[in-house]
């Protein structure tokens, strides 16, 4: 049993004798039993839409074949996100109680046609499409995996209702932790979005309007599309978190940078201790302020940065 990612994947059953009956000896699986949960596993739907699909196997534990790449990316991403929430926040799996994690890749291709341009947490597992090759390549890059698994964390904690302002917060929380895990930029989807165009991304926490999102509460969408704009108005909270991380002067409001470390602690504590199903942007300001006061003191520079960042985006 080898729990460390071996570069091509995290494997488990190295042909040992004490394996679950349904796994065959001398075969390797993307099936990790070394981190607490009974398993973190990745399967493939092979283009169909039945879940969880079938195991991705390998004869010699080198998951380096081209037809294994997608599954390996989703699997190593899930393991990395598990390790992030455990290591940084002391959370054992998305429910805090070592829930097992299942991911399924190559879901729901159009028969004889394009791959599915989406990825989602269905309440029980992660599901990833292969993309149509134009809008998306396979949607298994690290920040999308982190985005989806964070939906599971939100569902097991605040339970932010997936519509209107609470839904926009739900989406923002997933984008915020996506950039905390995929720590080299402030963007989401840059590896798989529009494979024919380099340098773009699906969403930009540093500049939400670059992804057709508002970056100020006064510009929020109030229509009914997209469950009341959950992927649109998330830009407002995304910008707030970006300003906490990077600092800056936005719309005349200066914000002192507190960095990713403080930002992830404040947002995690707010999500898991103060946000509820119906929390809106005003409530998110309250919750993040309270979290910062808990962690650093009400009069701290960190709490000040939280308030200034919300003021910069027109909340409070
Ligand atoms: O925002 C999202 N879901 O709520 C997506 C799912 C596929 C793209 C990457 C993350 C958009
Ligand atoms: Ca990214
Ligand atoms: Ca692109
Ligand atoms: Zn989402």
């Amino acid at each position: 049993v080898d729990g460390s990612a071996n570069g091509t994947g995290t494997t488990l059953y190295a042909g040992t004798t004490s394996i679950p009956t349904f796994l065959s000896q001398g075969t390797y699986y993307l099936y990790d039993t070394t981190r607490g949960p009974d398993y973190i596993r990745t399967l493939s739907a092979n283009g169909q839409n039945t879940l969880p699909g079938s195991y991705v196997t390998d004869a010699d534990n080198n998951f380096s074949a081209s037809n294994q790449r997608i599954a390996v990316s989703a699997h190593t991403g899930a393991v990395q996100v598990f390790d992030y929430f455990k290591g940084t926040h002391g959370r054992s799996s998305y429910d805090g109680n070592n829930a097992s994690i299942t991911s399924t890749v190559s879901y729901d291709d159009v028969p004889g046609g394009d791959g599915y341009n989406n990825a989602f947490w269905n309440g029980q597992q992660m599901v990833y499409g292969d993309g149509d090759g134009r809008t998306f390549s396979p949607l298994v890059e690290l920040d999308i995996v982190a985005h989806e698994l964070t939906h599971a964390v939100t569902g097991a904690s605040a339970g932010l209702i997936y519509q209107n302002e609470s839904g926009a917060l739900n989406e923002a929380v997933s984008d915020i932790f996506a950039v905390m895990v995929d720590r080299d930029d402030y963007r989401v989807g840059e590896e798989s979005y529009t494979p024919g165009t380099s340098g773009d991304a699906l969403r930009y926490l540093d500049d939400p309007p670059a992804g057709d999102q508002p970056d100020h509460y006064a510009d929020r969408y109030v229509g009914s599309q997209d469950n009341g704009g959950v992927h649109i108005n998330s830009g407002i909270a995304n910008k707030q978190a970006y300003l906490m991380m990077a600092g800056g002067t936005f719309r005349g409001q200066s914000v002192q940078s507190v960095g990713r470390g403080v930002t992830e602690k404040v947002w995690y504590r707010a999500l898991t201790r103060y946000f509820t199903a119906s929390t809106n942007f005003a409530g998110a300001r309250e919750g993040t302020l309270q979290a910062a006061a808990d962690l650093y003191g009400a009069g701290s520079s960190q709490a000040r940065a939280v308030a200034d960042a919300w003021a910069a985006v027109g909340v409070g």
Side-chain angles (χ1 to χ4, degrees), residues 119 147-148 151 162 170-171 174-175 203 231:
H147 177 104
E148 297 311 333
H151 278 309
Y162 203 62
N170 187 317
E171 272 300 312
S174 274
D175 280 350
R203 290 193 286 270
H231 294 97

Side-chain angles (χ1 to χ4, degrees), residues 107-258:
Y107 175 80
D108 201 21
D109 294 346
V110 176
D114 292 334
Y116 181 54
N117 273 336
N118 205 351
F120 58 94
W121 167 259
N122 74 355
Q124 282 78 42
Q125 65 161 98
M126 261 104 62
V127 186
Y128 300 97
D130 281 344
D132 63 7
R134 293 178 300 281
T135 303
F136 281 105
S137 55
L139 291 93
V140 290
E141 67 174 280
L142 180 59
D143 58 21
I144 294 178
V145 172
H147 177 104
E148 297 311 333
L149 196 48
T150 301
H151 278 309
V153 172
T154 298
S157 53
L160 288 161
I161 295 163
Y162 203 62
Q163 66 177 12
N164 304 331
E165 290 195 16
S166 57
L169 277 173
N170 187 317
E171 272 300 312
V173 163
S174 274
D175 280 350
I176 291 164
F177 287 105
V179 303
M180 294 301 179
V181 176
D182 179 33
R183 223 163 171 89
D184 58 352
D185 65 15
Y186 295 113
R187 300 175 175 196
V188 177
E190 65 277 353
E191 289 176 39
S192 56
Y193 186 61
T194 59
T197 306
S198 64
D200 64 346
L202 178 70
R203 290 193 286 270
Y204 306 73
L205 276 75
D206 54 319
D207 185 25
D212 300 323
Q213 296 184 289
D215 53 9
H216 193 279
Y217 193 69
D219 300 330
R220 69 191 177 285
Y221 172 74
V222 291
S224 60
Q225 287 176 17
D226 182 34
N227 295 306
V230 301
H231 294 97
I232 301 168
N233 293 329
S234 54
I236 298 160
N238 283 358
K239 182 75 178 189
Q240 190 277 350
Y242 166 74
L243 288 168
M244 284 182 67
M245 288 183 259
T249 299
F250 178 61
R251 303 212 185 186
Q253 172 68 55
S254 291
V255 183
Q256 181 189 353
S257 164
V258 295

Side-chain angles (χ1 to χ4, degrees), residues 13-60:
Y13 285 94
T16 54
T17 49
S18 60
I19 59 171
T21 48
F22 57 86
L23 299 179
S24 54
Q25 285 205 342
T27 304
Y28 294 85
Y29 298 82
L30 298 175
Y31 193 102
D32 186 334
T33 62
T34 65
R35 287 175 152 78
D38 287 346
Y39 54 77
I40 300 174
R41 67 180 182 171
T42 301
L43 298 87
S44 174
N46 305 298
Q48 309 301 309
N49 58 9
T50 48
L51 295 174
S54 53
Y55 280 108
V56 175
T57 63
D58 189 76
D60 67 359

